[in-house]
Amino acid sequence: MTDATLAEPVAPAPVAPAPVAAESPAPRPRRTAALALKWLGVAPFMIFALLFLILPTIHIVLGAFQTPEGAFTLRNLAGLAVPQVVRPFMLSIRLSLLTAGLGCLIGLILAAAVTRGGLPGWIRDAMLTFSGVASNFAGVPLAFAFIATLGRLGLVTVVLKEVFGINLAATGFNLISFAGLTLTYLYFQIPLMILIITPALDGLKREWREAAEILGASGAQYWRMVALPVLWPSLLGTFALLFANSFGAVATAMALTGSSLSIVPIILFAQIRGDVLQDPHLGYAIAFGMIVITGIANLVYIVLRSRAEKWVR
Amino acid sequence: MGSPRFWSWAALVAGVLYFFLPLAGMFEFSLRARRGEYSLQAYANVLGDPQFRDTFLYSVVAALFTIVLGVLIVAPTAFWVRLKLPRLRPVIEFITLLPLVIPPIVIVFGYIRLYNTSSWLPLTGTAAGTNLLLVFGYATLALPYMYRAVDTGLRSIDIATLTEAAQGMGAGWFTIITRLILPNILSSLLSGAFLTFAIVIGEYVFAALLNRPAFGPYMVWMGGNKAYEPAALAVIAFGITWVCMGVIQLAARLGRHNRVQR
Amino acid sequence: MAFLQIAHLEKSFGTTRVVRDFDLSIEKGEFVSLLGPSGCGKTTVLRMVAGFETPSSGAIAIDGRDVIALRPNQRHIGMVFQAYALFPNLTVAENVAFGLKVKRMPADLRAARVREMLALIGLPDLGNRYPFQLSGGQQQRVALARALAIKPHVLLLDEPLSALDARIRVSLRAQIREIQRELQITTIFVTHDQEEALSISDRVVVMNGGVAEQVGTPFEIYNRPATRFVAQFVGTLNLIEADVIAPATGTVRIGTTEVSLGRPLPAGRVTLACRPEAVSLGAAEGRPLLLWAEIGKVEFLGAVIRLRAQAGRTALSLDMFNRPDTPPPAAGDRVQVSISPADLLVLEA
């Protein structure tokens, strides 16, 4: 099977090396060879996924349960139960829940407004295109944009002070804070929601709305009894995705706050860079904790979805 | 209840305000480099910085390698799975979604520990090895998007029938791939490629933790040391993202156009 | 005044007038079909009655009450859509109960009403199924039950059968008519299928280009079509070109045959039309129009055999009953066919 690595991921070899005369109908013995070849076709992908996705993750998970000498231990996980680790985890979970929740809600409202709200068609196209851009405009440049807008010398801060006489800092607002980070994260969370939920909104049939209406339902009743239940699985899935998206984000927070706001990815980043916690295996434990949290988010999603979707095949 | 259209407009206006203001702020800020007047000084500073050119070039090259690698891994696999191993599809799909669930910082942490100088595959021991690792890492990050794009492209054509028909007429695999499959999924491949480009060009965590001189770490360094240049960088990054998404839209439109003609 | 009164109804989208000066009066308990090709405006009329479209002008009154200003959820109308309009997230029983729940009917009354409706459509045991577990025909029956559960004043059916298999279409339309008769509910049925419209309706409105071309019973529509469009759209029609040689007596020449229709005709060329069943094989008493024809095709339709024949330049379809003791002619046979002048319609040229 070592050939598999050599057979680089180009077009798989012809199905039958055909040692038999061409006219004879496919003889049985070739089937096992064909089967092996079938699996060889996905070998490059599997090897890639194993080496650069699955093994590194497993290595982290195993490391969380090992002493530096390689013996099994639970001490690393127990080491998580200190305030300087627990607090970042709570902060990250709150941040992710909040931005995912708000992202879903606001994204749904905006998507519903452009798909169902009777607005001109070009607005919908423009919104989708912009969402594609904004959902990818994350990380460092996004932080810069918000600093340039709401930072101490930012456009909005200055305009508010000079034109309206409002001192933003005096109102208690600070961009380098939980609220500031939430506001910034929403810039990519909302567009992501719009991108995912718009096709789902398109899937709502006009007949459902009309049937509900003529049966006497108000718009709100239609949304509560039909549209939202139908959208529920998509909403849950997007929520889980937005949660993980925000939970693992490093660059935006780093560029926005330096390391003054202790969220988990920043703690882990510092740990990897400089071993600030004086214990390499505590780093494993933190990483493992992150996997567990995003894993739970997705598990909750899968369970809720299977319950919500009893009306689908 | 009020008029639904009124509320739609209200929501839209609020949304436009929220999404437009940071862009305006970023742009306005980037012009402030000279005291008392608007100028392109910050851009001149950035573009004149050899570090900018080096790191940007590095990231562009990394992105190109990532795209090639991604296409080579994803396209044949998606094709093969649709054609020969449809039962394996859920497994493959699950794997391609993992990078959305496992935080990137955890993945790169695994790389650092798994491929360090004392390991069985000491990729981080040399610059070339680390570069290779970075590209593989980026390919992993891009996997969900790349696979989704290609699989969508393949879904729109009936590859099993097409392939059988071509084989029936005596076409070899090379012909089938280059003449039949590629033209049909070209627009999807382009989408995946430009999305990958947009992701890689500003990526920070992988490059920073693997200590590579990429554009992302350079931007963070700028953010810590300069006032107006970061805004100029953000404008440039936004422009790149915008161009990438524009090309994707164009590719999608061309793809649809092709399909209608058929 | 009729129970449902539509007067001078107009609807334009942009510069296109999709419905023009449409009038219709429907008595209580009557079953009326709107029949026409796609784009003729029939669905737009229905949607204006339902309240989904606002008329450009005109009036719609139900039970003497103007409903133009009412929203769809205030009009007390039941509607069945083309297909797949059941709420996918609700069971059959919940779907049927939807309108009652919205009106806050107490749960026990609601359950009783749902049971009654499911029994009415003949699906008493499927209350707990989800729509995706039903066949297309069953789904449409549930949709009917859902529409009727709220005891609407008027029932609107928007091509409810067009997405179904041919066999189910026939049995379901009979069931719809039966239920409609039982409940005595005023009904408008939109279809593009003339056989469907003729078989199910008390009266049929044939529409074309936004205009009602003819309103009448199925018998009138089929046997006395008012316009060329109606004649051609409804049923199969033989068209015979004829020269009028004596306008006063209505004498025409078809090929070399001359025959008097016994009614005055305009001078010049006319197009005569007749149904396939008005053409008989062989000569007969009272059928002075005799033509020689060559049999082209013989189509066996069960109780009826349809013959395709060519008489000079005129192509004729004729139907004969299928009797075991009279075998049909074979293709290529030369036969004589006869038509009674009374069965000939004169279409404006």
Side-chain angles (χ1 to χ4, degrees):
Chain A
M1 284 306 283
T2 40
D3 305 19
T5 38
L6 294 176
E8 262 306 296
V10 278
V15 176
V20 204
E23 302 96 277
S24 71
R28 296 295 100 181
R30 257 167 46 188
R31 278 190 74 170
T32 41
L35 201 72
L37 218 69
K38 243 189 193 181
W39 287 91
L40 213 59
V42 290
F45 174 84
M46 288 301 188
I47 290 165
F48 165 78
L50 210 61
L51 280 181
F52 298 103
L53 181 57
I54 296 168
L55 282 182
T57 311
I58 290 177
H59 185 81
I60 296 292
V61 172
L62 291 182
F65 292 94
Q66 281 172 349
T67 63
E69 291 73 39
F72 175 81
T73 183
L74 290 174
R75 187 170 301 159
N76 300 325
L77 294 190
L80 292 178
V82 292
Q84 68 259 46
V85 178
V86 171
R87 229 178 296 125
F89 261 101
M90 294 317 289
L91 194 62
S92 266
I93 291 174
R94 263 172 52 211
L95 179 69
S96 304
L97 283 177
L98 187 65
T99 61
L102 284 177
C104 279
L105 186 68
I106 301 171
L108 177 64
I109 291 173
L110 284 175
V114 289
T115 53
R116 323 244 118 197
L119 300 185
W122 63 268
I123 288 183
R124 174 203 157 98
D125 292 342
M127 168 103 93
L128 284 179
T129 306
F130 181 80
S131 295
V133 177
S135 64
N136 283 293
F137 184 61
V140 187
L142 176 64
F144 291 166
F146 268 83
I147 292 171
T149 308
L150 287 166
R152 241 168 11 90
L153 294 170
L155 178 65
V156 170
T157 315
V158 170
V159 167
L160 279 181
K161 191 189 279 170
E162 291 180 358
V163 180
F164 299 99
I166 301 169
N167 185 350
L168 202 58
T171 63
F173 179 81
N174 178 9
L175 187 61
I176 305 170
S177 69
F178 185 80
L181 208 53
T182 304
L183 201 63
T184 311
Y185 276 21
L186 285 177
Y187 202 87
F188 57 82
Q189 299 279 60
I190 294 172
L192 197 55
M193 173 68 178
I194 292 176
L195 283 182
I196 301 176
I197 209 67
T198 301
L201 283 172
D202 289 337
L204 294 176
K205 296 212 159 53
R206 187 180 74 172
E207 284 89 345
W208 297 340
R209 188 190 187 109
E210 291 181 347
E213 211 179 347
I214 204 144
L215 286 166
S218 65
Q221 279 171 321
Y222 159 73
W223 273 94
R224 188 166 55 74
M225 296 167 78
V226 181
L228 279 180
V230 169
L231 290 176
W232 194 232
S234 310
L235 289 174
L236 282 173
T238 319
F239 183 84
L241 184 68
L242 294 191
F243 181 88
N245 199 24
S246 149
F247 197 77
V250 184
T252 314
M254 191 88 96
L256 193 69
T257 69
S259 44
S260 65
L261 203 68
S262 295
I263 56 174
V264 182
I266 286 185
I267 296 288
L268 183 58
F269 188 91
Q271 166 70 9
I272 297 170
R273 261 271 171 92
D275 199 8
V276 288
L277 299 169
Q278 317 289 318
D279 178 359
H281 281 255
L282 192 55
Y284 285 134
I286 294 174
F288 174 67
M290 291 182 73
I291 298 177
V292 168
I293 301 284
T294 54
I296 287 176
N298 278 277
L299 212 65
V300 169
Y301 156 59
I302 291 167
V303 170
L304 286 180
R305 183 192 174 108
S306 64
R307 250 194 240 162
E309 276 200 336
K310 57 186 189 287
W311 43 273
V312 183
R313 253 151 293 222
Chain B
M1 239 181 80
S3 149
R5 188 170 306 184
F6 168 78
W7 289 111
S8 297
W9 278 112
L12 189 70
V13 168
V16 166
L17 218 59
Y18 170 71
F19 283 102
F20 177 73
L21 277 179
L23 300 180
M26 156 180 101
F27 188 65
E28 194 263 354
F29 207 78
S30 74
L31 299 177
R32 279 200 226 162
R34 280 196 204 146
R35 194 172 289 270
E37 59 167 335
Y38 283 138
S39 71
L40 296 174
Q41 188 60 46
Y43 293 90
N45 292 349
V46 165
L47 295 175
D49 183 356
Q51 270 221 64
F52 166 78
R53 273 175 269 157
D54 293 348
T55 55
F56 190 73
L57 191 67
Y58 180 90
S59 283
V60 168
V61 172
L64 293 181
F65 273 105
T66 305
I67 290 167
V68 172
L69 182 70
V71 169
L72 285 182
I73 288 174
V74 166
T77 306
F79 169 68
W80 195 248
V81 165
R82 277 209 170 254
L83 192 64
K84 299 279 181 184
L85 292 164
R87 269 178 309 151
L88 206 61
R89 248 189 68 190
V91 179
I92 303 275
E93 249 170 37
F94 177 75
I95 292 175
T96 61
L97 285 177
L98 279 179
L100 294 180
V101 180
I102 305 170
I105 190 170
V106 173
I107 297 176
V108 70
F109 189 24
Y111 286 5
I112 291 170
R113 293 304 158 110
L114 200 56
Y115 301 117
N116 62 26
T117 42
S118 56
S119 76
W120 59 282
L121 191 61
L123 283 173
T124 57
T126 60
T130 317
N131 287 340
L132 197 67
L133 191 56
L134 186 67
V135 167
F136 272 102
Y138 284 164
T140 309
L141 287 188
L143 193 59
Y145 309 100
M146 196 58 121
Y147 186 85
R148 209 40 69 78
V150 172
D151 199 51
T152 311
L154 286 174
R155 189 171 358 172
S156 61
I157 55 173
D158 184 359
I159 53 166
T161 314
L162 274 180
T163 309
E164 255 171 49
Q167 276 178 325
M169 290 184 278
W173 277 106
F174 182 77
T175 318
I176 290 176
I177 299 275
T178 54
R179 303 290 296 280
L180 202 65
I181 305 300
L182 269 185
N184 273 301
I185 61 169
L186 196 62
S187 73
S188 319
L189 280 181
L190 276 177
S191 304
F194 278 92
L195 199 54
T196 305
F197 190 88
I199 292 169
V200 169
I201 207 76
E203 203 284 333
Y204 172 68
V205 177
F206 271 65
L209 289 178
L210 290 175
N211 267 320
R212 292 290 81 204
F215 191 49
Y218 170 74
M219 284 197 287
V220 169
W221 179 84
M222 271 294 213
N225 293 286
K226 298 280 168 102
Y228 303 106
E229 283 77 0
L233 279 176
V235 171
I236 293 170
F238 185 76
I240 293 169
T241 314
W242 190 269
V243 167
C244 286
M245 295 304 132
V247 172
I248 289 172
Q249 291 247 320
L250 212 66
R253 213 159 292 163
L254 284 180
R256 221 168 326 163
H257 185 61
N258 274 343
R259 229 157 278 141
V260 170
Q261 280 186 332
R262 203 154 289 129
Chain C
M1 195 176 174
F3 185 70
L4 175 64
Q5 189 81 41
I6 302 175
H8 306 297
L9 198 63
E10 292 263 353
K11 178 71 184 175
S12 302
F13 293 112
T15 54
T16 339
R17 290 169 74 197
V18 287
V19 175
R20 305 175 195 201
D21 199 20
F22 186 90
D23 292 303
L24 183 63
S25 307
I26 303 180
E27 297 304 323
K28 197 170 170 65
E30 201 180 10
F31 192 115
V32 174
S33 289
L34 304 184
L35 170 67
S38 61
C40 72
K42 57 191 191 299
T43 296
T44 308
V45 170
L46 197 76
R47 292 175 61 80
M48 285 191 280
V49 175
F52 296 133
E53 308 280 358
T54 313
S56 304
S57 65
I60 301 173
I62 297 173
D63 205 3
R65 178 162 164 244
D66 182 12
V67 297
I68 291 282
L70 296 182
R71 300 174 56 78
N73 54 11
Q74 301 165 321
R75 293 193 181 190
H76 219 70
I77 282 174
M79 182 153 174
V80 177
F81 296 82
Q82 217 173 66
Y84 318 118
L86 291 182
F87 306 128
N89 58 317
L90 302 179
T91 63
V92 165
E94 288 165 345
N95 260 285
V96 175
F98 187 91
L100 309 172
K101 202 171 169 187
V102 162
K103 290 192 164 64
R104 306 192 191 290
M105 182 189 262
D108 49 338
L109 291 180
R110 213 159 66 203
R113 183 100 182 108
V114 168
R115 268 198 304 280
E116 183 192 336
M117 292 325 296
L118 290 182
L120 180 73
I121 57 164
L123 300 174
D125 303 323
L126 299 188
N128 291 322
R129 298 269 183 94
Y130 282 93
F132 79 90
Q133 295 168 307
L134 305 182
S135 70
Q138 287 172 331
Q139 287 189 30
Q140 286 305 67
R141 275 145 79 185
V142 174
L144 181 65
R146 182 177 68 180
L148 291 173
I150 57 170
K151 297 198 172 166
H153 300 318
V154 176
L155 178 64
L156 305 179
L157 306 165
D158 185 11
E159 305 231 15
L161 306 173
S162 62
L164 304 176
D165 295 341
R167 184 184 292 234
I168 297 174
R169 228 163 29 216
V170 173
S171 70
L172 189 50
R173 85 182 178 215
Q175 200 184 359
I176 287 176
R177 177 62 157 153
E178 204 173 296
I179 289 172
Q180 184 268 340
R181 280 217 173 98
E182 194 178 322
L183 301 179
Q184 283 297 307
I185 181 161
T186 313
T187 302
I188 305 181
F189 178 86
V190 161
T191 180
H192 62 268
D193 182 330
Q194 44 100 5
E195 184 198 320
E196 213 165 86
L198 296 181
S199 67
I200 202 172
S201 318
D202 292 318
R203 275 190 305 151
V204 176
V205 181
V206 183
M207 290 187 68
N208 184 35
V211 173
E213 297 248 341
Q214 186 175 5
V215 183
T217 63
F219 185 86
E220 289 164 350
I221 296 282
Y222 189 82
N223 294 307
R224 291 197 291 277
T227 66
R228 190 186 188 102
F229 174 82
V230 174
Q232 282 178 306
F233 189 76
V234 178
T236 310
L237 204 66
N238 292 309
L239 296 179
I240 305 168
E241 297 296 326
D243 292 312
V244 181
I245 48 178
T249 58
T251 305
V252 297
R253 181 163 56 212
I254 301 163
T256 53
T257 318
E258 281 179 20
V259 66
S260 163
L261 301 188
R263 50 198 144 142
L265 288 176
R269 253 192 121 89
V270 292
T271 303
L272 305 175
C274 66
R275 303 284 180 199
E277 58 270 28
V279 186
S280 310
L281 267 187
E285 189 82 5
R287 292 171 173 275
L289 177 51
L290 270 175
L291 297 169
W292 279 102
E294 186 178 318
I295 300 291
K297 249 199 266 174
V298 181
E299 287 167 22
F300 196 81
L301 304 178
V304 169
I305 297 169
R306 173 156 296 177
L307 305 172
R308 310 269 186 192
Q310 192 72 31
R313 286 183 290 111
T314 307
L316 289 175
S317 290
L318 53 144
D319 289 351
M320 59 179 283
F321 281 113
N322 176 18
R323 290 204 191 83
D325 53 341
T326 43
D333 287 358
R334 266 191 83 70
V335 295
Q336 220 176 11
V337 298
S338 57
I339 304 168
S340 158
D343 291 336
L344 281 173
L345 303 162
V346 181
L347 305 177
E348 323 83 272

